[in-house]
Amino acid sequence: MDFIGTILEFFKCVGPSIRQYVRRHQKLSEIMRNLERPLQELNSKKADIEATLKAECDLENKQPSNEVNDWLENVERINSEAHSIEEEVKKGKYFSRASLGKDAEEKIEEVKKYHQKACSFTSLVIVAPPSRGVMLPTETLVGEKTKKVVEIIWENLMGDKAPKIGVWGMGGIGKTTIMKEINNRLQKETNKFNVVIWVTVSQPLDLIKLQTEIATALKESLPENEDKVSRAGRLLGMLKAKAKFVLILDDMWEAFPLEKVGIPEPNKENGCKLVITTRSYRVCRSMKCKQVEVELLSKEEAFNLFIDRVGSSILQVPTLNREIINSIVEECGCLPLAIVTVAASMSGEEEIYEWQNALNELRGRLRSLNDVDTKVFGRLEFSYHRLKDEKLRQCFLYCALYPKNFLILKDELIDYWIAEGVIEELKDVQAKYDRGHTILNRLVNCCLLESARYGRCVKMHDLIRDMALHIISKSHLFMVKAREHLLEFPGEQEWKANLERVSLMMNDIDEIPSNMSPHCEILSTLLLQRNINLQWIPECFFAHMHGLKILNLSFTAIEVLPNSVSDLMNLISLLLQRCRRLKRVPSVAKLLALQHLDLRGTSIEEVPEGMQMLENLSHLYLYSPPLKELPAGLLPRLRKLCRLSLYFGWEALEETVEETGRLSDRLDTFEGHFSKLNNFNIYVKSSDGRESEKYCLMLSPDYVGDSVIADLEVDRSVCLIANKICEKEKPIVLPEDVQCLEMFEVYDIASLNDVLPREQGLVNIGKFSHDLKVLRFYYCNNLKNLFSLRLLPALKNLECLEVCGCDSIEEIVAVEDEETEKELGTITIINILTLPRLKKLEFHYLPEFKTFCSDNGVLVCDPLQEIEVTFCPKLKQLSLRLPLIDNGRPSPPPALKVIGIKKELWESLEWDQANAKDVLYPYCKFVER
């Protein structure tokens, strides 16, 4: 009887569950209909809230509250999840019906909950926190007159008498440098203005572009299809919403009515200010500005600047006298840009005849010129002509093909130089890049180029570019119309027979005339990229361009390349990146010189015919999701291949995975995106021990972009993006020399230990990469901690650790059972966590994060430079152990620069060391959000 009673009790428990299961199975269609109605009501409510937000935020200095933002994000999530359920139902899988019915019923309850929450909102917006603008890189101000100008401008900005200020002076005199100093001071030193807007004005003046750039600086946007007047009205509303603003318009060449752009007239009542920089006092006068002239340096200031840049040791050279140095400085006209440029070209020269010759060249160049701007060019040209290597000059002039103020990627520029044959004497590809970077460094050191974007780019000062175009114009060998807003293709009369290089990049050209066939047999470079509406090129266009070496059509809308491309037998670089509509490339069998083929982000489904003939191909970018087949044996035939990018998405491409892995030791750089764990593991195992010098491997079931470079500061990266990556039967295999490991939305790991190599159930630290420099985890919601204390010795080279949006993580370092603290009487054993190279720590949106390490763990990392913490409401301590000075007091890590944190959180943190909070307080940069 007891046995029967137990059975009855069992069925009492499971009976309702079985009935629920059957009901959901049978009535799935009805449940889905029950979901549809409340979901529609929720989305109607969402539309109402968004409309209200738009009206309130556009007209006032307000923004959505955090609560409303969270609600909107959750409604988006609910819609996405409901759509996923609907798609699964459509598949009609019999055994999934009950499970889907359960998911749908739970979703109905969640929809009702969020609809009810929306009705409880008392307010949708809050007052927006002030955001004054951005800090700009600047240089040291030179000269007392210059510093006085800064103070004059500042006084006028702080006062009420001059709502519009015009800073004017000749090109290269330092107007932009002065205004950058003013901009940065405004960010730091005053609450007088709500926002500071910096815009570099394009030449020729384009009011629509100016409207767009002002809106962009405000982090707003304007409709592209509206007329200028309507856009002006919208911009006017945006600027008025900011109330007191400073608008800085740098490098204006002509005046314009403010109302045509949508700029409110600055005056005492609205507290707004306009500052312009220009080479012409007439522009200042036309804009009714208070004029502030920037004057030349005094002779003493000019001499001191020259000596500072050329090197003070030059004064100790016995063969050189001060008189000849003074003479060269005098020929620079006391113009800062000319002094810096000429000084850079003379640096290291100690022979008297070199200085005498330089003086003669400088004098001769200036005496043949008349107007002021041309004389400036003459002074700058001196530095160009001091480049005694003709190849250096060619490389410099090539940079003028890019638009004004353009950030030029160094590697892209070097690729062009290699294709043009400027760097040709070296056979090894890496040696060519080394040579290219050496040339760039030389041009930067001569002040003809500026380094930018953490050294990855270069750019030209606008006056240096004008000088380069002035030189180019004498020979008529270049046609440069980069970013000039051209709507029509240049007429055939502009395509001279002696043209060597043409740049029409970044215009609005949508077609090339059907009968156009320029006779440009020696044309070597044709840059048409980023004409985003260009759809078609006539068949005859390339008929008389047999000397073409570089053809760049990237970021255009072309659908088919003309067959005449197949006859460009001298072509070295064919660049078609992000030609999204391009489905076919004609035969490349004759393009035996081709070295660089870029098909990233195109729609091609098969490789071009004749690829096997391209024995000189060194760069092949096939990162294209529609690609269905890569012929077996093709890659090994490309014997000079050194840079390869591939997307392994289709089943047919799986055969090439192992083949690619075996090629890896031949490759300088490999970018690979794998949609399946099995393929990822096959590649890593196939390349084991012979990995490329640089690689980036991505594992993700979905295509995520045209390039998979994860971190530009390291050479070897692995990026994992997937709901699940660790199959129990097939654990992931990581390369042993990986330097950067990133995980995005990986849901099936609780710790980094879950993806590391194991032997007998324990992590094999010996096989884990000791090269690891960067660890990043984003939205890995089941992550409880990052790694165990046991793993710490393997992280001796770690420099950057970032964790963001991981909902469950409580601590970074977990102390395993056998590692826990031991108490010896009253003595507690402290776990010292040493990361000897760690420079950067970032923790964002971690709702459960409490400490870096529990169990008395303290972190020691003297090289630490930067800490950022946002939205970590439960954080109690950072577990930092500060170094001690002689008196036993703690001192900050010697390299520390900044701690970005919310003030309330900072004040709530606990510290083991007395006075630690006071010691670190000066490094805090308190963030609002």
Side-chain angles (χ1 to χ4, degrees):
M1 292 295 292
D2 289 342
F3 175 70
I4 294 172
T6 302
I7 293 175
L8 289 172
E9 286 299 318
F10 173 78
F11 277 104
K12 282 181 183 177
C13 294
V14 304
S17 298
I18 293 173
R19 287 195 297 274
Q20 287 272 47
Y21 180 90
V22 172
R23 181 183 64 79
R24 288 167 176 158
H25 189 282
Q26 292 176 339
K27 297 191 175 183
L28 179 59
S29 298
E30 181 181 334
I31 295 171
M32 292 302 295
R33 286 195 296 274
N34 291 341
L35 172 61
E36 185 177 347
R37 182 177 52 79
L39 188 63
Q40 188 174 9
E41 292 175 355
L42 180 66
N43 282 314
S44 295
K45 191 70 176 173
K46 175 175 175 281
D48 292 342
I49 286 175
E50 286 175 333
T52 304
L53 283 174
K54 189 173 190 318
E56 291 188 327
C57 294
D58 279 355
L59 294 175
E60 303 176 79
N61 185 30
K62 300 215 176 146
Q63 67 180 34
S65 68
N66 291 336
E67 184 182 30
V68 170
N69 274 332
D70 289 344
W71 185 89
L72 289 168
E73 288 176 8
N74 277 299
V75 172
E76 286 291 338
R77 174 185 56 79
I78 289 168
N79 275 298
S80 176
E81 291 169 354
H83 178 71
S84 297
I85 295 170
E86 185 181 349
E87 291 299 309
E88 289 298 315
V89 170
K90 287 179 181 177
K91 292 178 182 177
K93 294 182 179 178
Y94 184 82
F95 292 105
S96 301
R97 290 177 63 82
S99 174
L100 290 169
K102 180 175 182 294
D103 291 344
E105 286 185 333
E106 290 174 352
K107 197 55 58 186
I108 290 170
E109 292 304 312
E110 189 175 21
V111 167
K112 290 178 178 176
K113 170 188 165 185
Y114 274 90
H115 189 277
Q116 186 176 2
K117 186 171 184 178
C119 297
S120 67
F121 288 144
T122 55
S123 175
L124 300 179
V125 296
I126 58 174
V127 175
S131 175
R132 292 202 190 106
V134 295
M135 299 289 285
L136 297 172
T138 188
E139 301 171 15
T140 305
L141 294 172
V142 179
E144 291 305 315
K145 291 181 182 177
T146 303
K147 293 174 183 175
K148 186 177 179 181
V149 166
V150 170
E151 295 310 316
I152 291 171
I153 296 169
W154 185 258
E155 289 170 10
N156 280 289
L157 280 169
M158 295 300 107
D160 297 327
K161 294 182 179 178
K164 294 188 287 188
I165 304 163
V167 182
W168 71 278
M170 64 190 300
I173 205 167
K175 301 182 295 296
T176 299
T177 301
I178 287 170
M179 286 315 302
K180 283 181 177 179
E181 178 75 18
I182 292 288
N183 173 84
N184 292 352
R185 195 191 287 193
L186 285 168
Q187 309 301 325
K188 295 184 293 185
E189 296 186 17
T190 180
N191 292 316
K192 183 177 176 68
F193 302 103
N194 296 331
V195 64
V196 181
I197 308 154
W198 179 289
V199 174
T200 301
V201 183
S202 62
Q203 182 190 357
L205 180 64
D206 182 332
L207 296 187
I208 287 183
K209 187 171 187 293
L210 181 57
Q211 289 172 331
T212 300
E213 292 188 346
I214 294 173
T216 302
L218 292 169
K219 299 181 180 178
E220 302 279 359
S221 60
L222 293 168
E224 292 183 7
N225 55 352
E226 277 191 351
D227 61 79
K228 199 184 302 179
V229 175
S230 301
R231 285 162 57 92
R234 289 180 184 272
L235 185 59
L236 187 68
M238 293 176 192
L239 287 167
K240 283 186 174 180
K242 293 295 182 184
K244 297 179 180 180
F245 64 79
V246 177
L247 174 59
I248 300 170
L249 299 179
D250 186 42
D251 199 17
M252 276 184 56
W253 285 69
E254 57 183 290
F256 63 87
L258 295 181
E259 67 273 11
K260 285 195 173 181
V261 175
I263 301 170
E265 186 69 30
N267 53 47
K268 183 178 179 179
E269 286 69 33
N270 60 29
C272 299
K273 298 278 186 173
L274 171 70
V275 187
I276 67 170
T277 72
T278 177
R279 297 183 193 180
S280 169
Y281 76 92
R282 292 186 181 87
V283 173
C284 296
R285 190 171 61 191
S286 297
M287 297 292 291
K288 298 180 180 176
C289 294
K290 177 179 176 60
Q291 296 179 35
V292 179
E293 183 182 2
V294 183
E295 297 182 24
L296 294 168
L297 300 176
S298 69
K299 289 184 178 181
E300 182 181 0
E301 290 167 344
F303 182 84
N304 291 337
L305 176 59
F306 185 88
I307 294 300
D308 179 65
R309 294 306 176 96
V310 82
S312 57
S313 62
I314 201 70
L315 295 174
Q316 310 305 320
V317 178
T319 57
L320 288 180
N321 56 57
R322 188 177 177 118
E323 184 180 342
I324 192 168
I325 298 174
N326 267 327
S327 297
I328 284 184
V329 174
E330 187 177 329
E331 293 300 330
C332 292
C334 297
L335 185 68
L337 181 62
I339 292 167
V340 167
T341 308
V342 172
S345 70
M346 295 304 297
S347 181
E349 297 287 2
E350 295 187 355
E351 299 292 341
I352 183 66
Y353 65 83
E354 287 282 359
W355 284 79
Q356 189 60 59
N357 181 63
L359 179 59
N360 293 336
E361 284 185 12
L362 202 49
R363 283 173 173 168
R365 200 165 301 284
L366 295 179
R367 284 170 184 167
S368 64
L369 303 171
N370 293 317
D371 65 51
V372 173
D373 275 348
T374 314
K375 284 198 173 184
V376 172
F377 290 162
R379 294 180 176 107
L380 300 178
E381 275 187 44
F382 166 82
S383 294
Y384 164 77
H385 288 283
R386 289 282 300 175
L387 300 172
K388 296 174 183 177
D389 185 342
E390 180 58 30
K391 289 185 177 180
L392 273 176
R393 296 179 186 178
Q394 288 184 44
C395 291
F396 167 71
L397 294 179
Y398 205 98
C399 298
L401 295 174
Y402 287 88
K404 178 181 175 182
N405 296 314
F406 194 83
L407 294 177
I408 311 169
L409 282 169
K410 286 184 175 181
D411 278 1
E412 179 182 294
L413 199 53
I414 294 170
D415 284 336
Y416 287 153
W417 293 345
I418 292 171
E420 281 274 8
V422 180
I423 304 174
E424 61 180 0
E425 67 276 11
L426 302 167
K427 292 183 179 179
D428 179 70
V429 172
Q430 187 55 49
K432 290 182 178 181
Y433 278 96
D434 292 342
R435 171 67 174 147
H437 283 287
T438 301
I439 290 172
L440 285 168
N441 288 341
R442 178 83 179 273
L443 294 173
V444 169
N445 291 338
C446 291
C447 294
L448 292 173
L449 292 179
E450 302 171 34
S451 186
R453 195 67 65 84
Y454 308 108
R456 293 195 287 269
C457 298
V458 290
K459 66 176 183 177
M460 272 185 156
H461 187 285
D462 58 346
L463 200 59
I464 297 284
R465 182 175 182 267
D466 289 344
M467 177 267 287
L469 293 175
H470 179 71
I471 293 170
I472 288 167
S473 67
K474 298 174 185 176
S475 64
H476 305 290
L477 300 178
F478 285 47
M479 184 202 298
V480 183
K481 296 177 180 287
R483 198 160 60 187
E484 292 189 4
H485 310 290
L486 298 182
L487 296 173
E488 296 184 357
F489 203 71
E492 197 141 4
Q493 70 279 3
E494 295 188 61
W495 293 81
K496 308 296 184 183
N498 65 338
L499 274 178
E500 293 180 0
R501 292 163 187 163
V502 171
S503 174
L504 301 172
M505 68 170 78
M506 301 181 73
N507 282 299
D508 302 309
I509 298 166
D510 56 10
E511 65 176 357
I512 298 175
S514 59
N515 61 347
M516 179 169 278
S517 182
H519 286 253
C520 297
E521 292 287 353
I522 64 171
L523 183 67
S524 60
T525 293
L526 178 56
L527 305 180
L528 289 167
Q529 66 264 37
R530 296 187 184 272
N531 283 280
I532 60 174
N533 297 316
L534 181 60
Q535 298 181 28
W536 180 74
I537 299 175
E539 185 63 41
C540 61
F541 183 72
F542 297 110
H544 305 290
M545 294 184 183
H546 293 114
L548 201 59
K549 294 178 180 178
I550 299 168
L551 176 58
N552 194 336
L553 291 163
S554 300
F555 298 89
T556 60
I558 58 169
E559 298 178 6
V560 179
L561 274 182
N563 290 319
S564 55
V565 169
S566 299
D567 296 322
L568 298 176
M569 297 172 65
N570 289 303
L571 199 63
I572 291 174
S573 290
L574 179 56
L575 309 175
L576 302 163
Q577 183 185 0
R578 294 268 189 104
C579 294
R580 301 239 183 248
R581 299 183 183 180
L582 184 65
K583 295 183 178 179
R584 178 185 169 273
V585 174
S587 173
V588 294
K590 297 181 186 178
L591 306 185
L592 302 183
L594 198 65
Q595 297 176 15
H596 196 147
L597 179 59
D598 191 344
L599 296 168
R600 283 174 290 181
T602 61
S603 295
I604 63 165
E605 296 182 356
E606 57 186 26
V607 297
E609 179 187 338
M611 278 275 291
Q612 70 278 6
M613 305 297 292
L614 303 181
E615 294 188 357
N616 285 307
L617 197 66
S618 58
H619 296 56
L620 176 59
Y621 300 124
L622 278 173
Y623 198 71
S624 180
L627 186 68
K628 294 180 179 178
E629 184 178 0
L630 193 63
L634 172 62
L635 295 178
R637 289 194 64 170
L638 305 175
R639 299 188 181 279
K640 293 189 178 179
L641 199 62
C642 65
R643 297 196 174 186
L644 176 64
S645 172
L646 279 175
Y647 176 75
F648 295 99
W650 288 83
E651 297 285 343
L653 287 176
E654 293 182 12
E655 298 176 11
T656 64
V657 173
E658 191 170 349
E659 184 177 86
T660 307
R662 290 196 300 269
L663 283 175
S664 56
D665 59 340
R666 283 172 41 188
L667 300 175
D668 167 70
T669 302
F670 174 68
E671 298 180 13
H673 180 168
F674 303 85
S675 62
K676 294 184 178 179
L677 174 62
N678 187 51
N679 285 342
F680 181 93
N681 286 347
I682 289 173
Y683 173 82
V684 174
K685 290 176 182 177
S686 302
S687 62
D688 187 31
R690 52 170 178 260
E691 290 87 356
S692 306
E693 186 176 334
K694 300 177 184 177
Y695 63 73
C696 182
L697 310 180
M698 178 180 290
L699 174 60
S700 171
D702 301 312
Y703 177 76
V704 295
D706 297 344
S707 180
V708 295
I709 288 295
D711 195 297
L712 293 170
E713 296 176 3
V714 299
D715 292 332
R716 302 183 291 278
S717 301
V718 170
C719 184
L720 309 175
I721 305 178
N723 291 334
K724 293 184 178 180
I725 60 164
C726 301
E727 300 173 14
K728 292 181 180 178
E729 301 80 11
K730 299 177 183 177
I732 192 168
V733 179
L734 292 174
E736 291 187 12
D737 63 347
V738 62
Q739 293 178 321
C740 173
L741 178 61
E742 299 187 339
M743 296 191 193
F744 293 78
E745 299 181 349
V746 179
Y747 298 151
D748 61 339
I749 64 166
S751 168
L752 178 61
N753 294 38
D754 292 346
V755 298
L756 300 182
R758 289 178 174 266
E759 287 184 7
Q760 298 179 342
L762 295 175
V763 173
N764 185 341
I765 296 176
K767 285 193 173 181
F768 179 61
S769 174
H770 290 251
D771 296 326
L772 199 66
K773 293 183 178 180
V774 180
L775 267 176
R776 293 192 178 104
F777 299 82
Y778 297 92
Y779 309 104
C780 300
N781 288 336
N782 289 322
L783 201 65
K784 301 294 184 185
N785 57 70
L786 294 195
F787 41 78
S788 66
L789 190 61
R790 179 194 302 276
L791 188 61
L792 212 59
L795 299 174
K796 62 183 181 181
N797 289 311
L798 191 67
E799 296 180 3
C800 175
L801 177 62
E802 297 179 19
V803 190
C804 177
C806 300
D807 289 348
S808 302
I809 196 164
E810 297 181 6
E811 60 184 347
I812 303 302
V813 182
V815 181
E816 297 174 350
D817 291 341
E818 66 271 24
E819 301 169 334
T820 53
E821 65 175 47
K822 297 181 178 68
E823 291 194 2
L824 304 174
T826 59
I827 301 174
T828 300
I829 303 298
I830 296 176
N831 290 307
I832 303 295
L833 316 177
T834 303
L835 292 170
R837 296 191 177 179
L838 189 68
K839 297 177 182 177
K840 186 176 183 179
L841 278 175
E842 286 195 27
F843 305 119
H844 304 286
Y845 298 94
L846 307 176
E848 300 299 323
F849 180 43
K850 296 173 183 174
T851 183
F852 194 89
C853 180
S854 57
D855 296 307
N856 284 341
V858 293
L859 175 64
V860 177
C861 45
D862 287 352
L864 195 61
Q865 297 177 3
E866 185 177 347
I867 303 172
E868 289 187 23
V869 184
T870 55
F871 287 101
C872 298
K874 293 187 179 180
L875 183 64
K876 294 179 180 178
Q877 55 182 197
L878 284 172
S879 306
L880 275 182
R881 173 57 57 94
L882 303 182
L884 301 177
I885 51 181
D886 293 340
N887 58 8
R889 289 175 58 84
S891 65
L896 189 65
K897 295 178 180 177
V898 66
I899 301 174
I901 193 169
K902 197 170 182 179
K903 190 169 185 178
E904 292 84 350
L905 178 58
W906 171 258
E907 291 174 349
S908 70
L909 288 180
E910 301 170 2
W911 300 87
D912 293 332
Q913 293 171 283
N915 302 318
K917 182 179 289 189
D918 295 337
V919 167
L920 294 176
Y921 184 84
Y923 297 89
C924 288
K925 180 182 178 182
F926 294 120
V927 295
E928 294 295 325
R929 301 186 62 192

